[in-house]
Amino acid sequence: MKPDWDKLGKKYAEHDSVLIVDVDCTADGGGTCQKMGVKGYPTIKYFMAGDKKGKDYNGGREYAALQSFVESKLNKPVCNALTKKGCSEKELTYVEKVEAYDAAALEAELATKAEELKALKKERADAEKELKERSTAWKKKEVALGKAQAILKQLQKK
């Protein structure tokens, strides 16, 4: 598998959205492997943008299968703000808005976006928690109503 993995790494070496790496879990990479939950070797994990835990890859281990997976799942265009390649219209509009900012303005914009993202994640987590709580309450109510219906049907038959 190692030769096919290295071949895959060479193919995507200069790619904007795909990075092929390997970690030796028996040497210096032991801490990383433990953190990522690697228990057997070789283990292949892939990560999508924003995913810190990664997902296990369970496909074929030969080059064609690996390359097919990368092309279908990971090889997505990424907006390069410097070349403007791979950018959607919305991204281009934003790049054009901020590309003339000086270093201080870029730092301020970055801090603002980080705060907005943090607030959005908190809002989403709160909403998901509320939904889970409400869902639990609805399920309890459904069970109680189902039992009430069963009791009423039994009493109807007497």
Side-chain angles (χ1 to χ4, degrees), residues 22-34 38-41 43:
D22 53 64
V23 177
D24 185 348
C25 294
T26 63
D28 293 338
T32 300
C33 294
Q34 186 176 17
V38 173
K39 292 180 176 66
Y41 315 114
T43 295

Coordinates of all heavy atoms in Angstrom, one line a residue, residues 22-34 38-41 43:
D22 N 1.3 11.0 5.8 CA 1.3 9.8 6.6 C 2.0 10.1 7.9 O 2.8 10.9 8.0 CB 1.9 8.6 5.8 CG 3.2 8.9 5.3 OD1 4.2 9.1 6.1 OD2 3.4 8.8 4.0
V23 N 1.6 9.3 8.9 CA 2.1 9.4 10.2 C 2.6 8.0 10.7 O 1.8 7.1 10.6 CB 1.0 9.9 11.2 CG1 1.6 10.0 12.6 CG2 0.5 11.3 10.8
D24 N 3.8 7.9 11.2 CA 4.3 6.6 11.7 C 3.9 6.5 13.2 O 4.4 7.2 14.0 CB 5.8 6.6 11.6 CG 6.4 5.2 12.0 OD1 5.6 4.4 12.6 OD2 7.5 5.0 11.7
C25 N 2.9 5.7 13.4 CA 2.3 5.6 14.8 C 3.3 4.8 15.7 O 3.1 4.9 16.9 CB 1.0 4.8 14.7 SG -0.3 5.8 13.9
T26 N 4.3 4.2 15.2 CA 5.2 3.5 16.0 C 6.4 4.3 16.4 O 7.3 3.9 17.2 CB 5.7 2.2 15.3 OG1 6.5 2.6 14.1 CG2 4.6 1.3 14.9
A27 N 6.5 5.5 15.9 CA 7.6 6.4 16.2 C 7.1 7.7 16.7 O 6.3 7.7 17.6 CB 8.4 6.7 14.9
D28 N 7.5 8.8 16.2 CA 7.2 10.2 16.7 C 5.7 10.5 16.6 O 5.2 11.4 17.3 CB 8.0 11.3 16.0 CG 9.5 11.2 16.3 OD1 9.8 10.6 17.3 OD2 10.3 11.7 15.5
G29 N 5.0 9.8 15.7 CA 3.6 10.1 15.5 C 2.6 9.4 16.5 O 1.4 9.5 16.4
G30 N 3.2 8.7 17.5 CA 2.3 8.0 18.4 C 1.3 8.8 19.1 O 0.1 8.4 19.2
G31 N 1.6 10.0 19.5 CA 0.6 10.9 20.2 C -0.5 11.3 19.3 O -1.7 11.3 19.7
T32 N -0.1 11.6 18.0 CA -1.1 12.0 17.0 C -2.1 10.8 16.8 O -3.3 11.0 16.7 CB -0.5 12.4 15.7 OG1 0.3 13.6 16.0 CG2 -1.5 12.8 14.7
C33 N -1.5 9.6 16.6 CA -2.3 8.4 16.4 C -3.3 8.2 17.5 O -4.4 7.8 17.3 CB -1.4 7.3 16.1 SG -0.5 7.4 14.6
Q34 N -2.8 8.3 18.7 CA -3.6 8.1 19.9 C -4.8 9.1 20.0 O -5.9 8.7 20.2 CB -2.8 8.1 21.2 CG -3.5 7.8 22.4 CD -2.7 7.8 23.7 OE1 -1.6 8.3 23.7 NE2 -3.2 7.1 24.7
V38 N -6.4 5.9 16.4 CA -5.9 4.9 15.5 C -5.5 3.7 16.4 O -4.8 3.8 17.3 CB -4.7 5.4 14.7 CG1 -4.0 4.3 14.0 CG2 -5.1 6.5 13.8
K39 N -6.1 2.5 16.0 CA -5.8 1.3 16.8 C -5.1 0.2 16.0 O -4.5 -0.7 16.5 CB -7.1 0.7 17.3 CG -7.7 1.7 18.4 CD -9.1 1.1 18.9 CE -9.7 1.9 20.0 NZ -10.1 3.2 19.7
G40 N -5.3 0.3 14.7 CA -4.6 -0.7 13.8 C -3.9 0.0 12.6 O -4.2 1.1 12.4
Y41 N -3.0 -0.8 12.0 CA -2.2 -0.2 11.0 C -2.3 -1.0 9.7 O -2.4 -2.2 9.8 CB -0.7 -0.1 11.4 CG -0.6 0.4 12.8 CD1 -0.1 -0.4 13.8 CD2 -0.9 1.7 13.1 CE1 0.1 0.1 15.1 CE2 -0.8 2.2 14.4 CZ -0.3 1.4 15.4 OH -0.1 1.9 16.7
T43 N -4.1 2.6 9.0 CA -5.4 3.3 9.2 C -5.4 4.5 8.3 O -4.5 5.3 8.3 CB -5.7 3.7 10.6 OG1 -5.8 2.5 11.4 CG2 -7.0 4.5 10.8

